[in-house]
């Protein structure tokens, strides 16, 4: 079992090292996305720049706060939380103990409320697609029980 975890970690790290940041591909156009009015629910990351992700990121938004659960560059889920705001169609946030998000995001929620598109506003835009979900209890329990992280870079 330990060998499997080591190999899994090696594969994740290898993928991270060879990945590139292409310009976001086609996706929902402005006419198919609303703003972030319906953001207050739980979401699971399903693709980055049109490619299905090999890691797990869950995020919930509720009344100006967010909770982020990620299994990225580690075998265990890590937990982060903080506040978010929406201004002028741009989503930004700040971690309670790790500073601001890496960047702001444009995009929005699909008309049916089941898909959230976040497009980073940095020089090489990254397009992330999330689907509405229920964050599994196992993820919440694993991430909150002693795995809050300051040494692993948060996804957002």
């Amino acid at each position: 079992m330990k060998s499997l975890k080591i190999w899994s970690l090696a594969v994740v790290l290898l993928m991270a090292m060879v990945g590139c940041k292409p310009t976001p591909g086609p996706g929902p156009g402005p006419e198919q996305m609303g703003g972030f009015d319906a953001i207050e629910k739980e979401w699971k990351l399903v693709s980055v720049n049109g490619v299905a992700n090999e890691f797990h990121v869950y995020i919930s938004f509720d009344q100006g706060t967010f909770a982020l659960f990620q299994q990225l560059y580690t075998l265990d889920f890590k937990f982060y939380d903080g506040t978010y705001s929406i201004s002028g169609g741009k989503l930004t946030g700040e971690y309670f103990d790790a500073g601001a998000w890496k960047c702001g995001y444009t995009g929005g929620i699909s008309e049916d409320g089941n898909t959230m598109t976040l497009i980073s506003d940095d020089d090489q835009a990254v397009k992330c697609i999330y689907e509405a979900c229920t964050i599994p209890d196992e993820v919440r329990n694993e991430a909150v029980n002693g795995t809050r992280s300051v040494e692993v870079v948060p996804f957002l």
Side-chain angles (χ1 to χ4, degrees):
M1 184 70 171
K2 187 175 181 179
S3 175
L4 178 61
K5 283 187 175 185
I6 292 171
W7 279 108
S8 297
L9 182 58
V11 168
V12 169
L13 291 174
L14 180 62
M15 289 174 52
M17 288 189 295
V18 298
C20 59
K21 293 183 176 182
T23 304
E31 70 283 351
Q32 296 172 314
M33 285 190 293
F36 291 109
D37 293 340
I39 197 170
E40 291 195 2
K41 56 177 75 171
E42 298 178 348
W43 303 94
K44 178 181 181 178
L45 180 67
V46 294
S47 71
V48 177
N49 287 336
V51 178
N53 54 302
E54 296 290 327
F55 48 89
H56 302 284
V57 176
Y58 294 93
I59 189 166
S60 68
F61 295 95
D62 185 32
Q63 299 180 3
T65 63
F66 71 90
L68 173 68
F69 305 87
Q70 72 179 40
Q71 187 183 38
L72 177 67
Y73 307 120
T74 66
L75 298 176
D76 301 320
F77 277 92
K78 302 297 180 186
F79 171 69
Y80 306 88
D81 58 355
T83 60
Y84 74 91
S85 61
I86 301 163
S87 178
K90 186 175 182 177
L91 174 67
T92 58
E94 192 164 314
Y95 297 98
F96 285 137
D97 59 0
W101 290 355
K102 293 180 273 189
C103 61
Y105 297 88
T106 57
I109 311 299
S110 64
E111 288 180 7
D112 65 6
N114 292 325
T115 304
M116 175 172 66
T117 302
L118 297 182
I119 303 169
S120 66
D121 67 358
D122 52 7
D123 291 338
Q124 296 206 347
V126 176
K127 182 178 183 178
C128 296
I129 306 294
Y130 293 79
E131 289 181 351
C133 71
T134 299
I135 299 173
D137 288 337
E138 310 84 63
V139 171
R140 289 181 182 276
N141 294 337
E142 178 181 324
V144 175
N145 290 332
T147 61
R148 184 175 185 86
S149 182
V150 293
E151 71 275 0
V152 176
V153 177
F155 186 73
L156 295 176

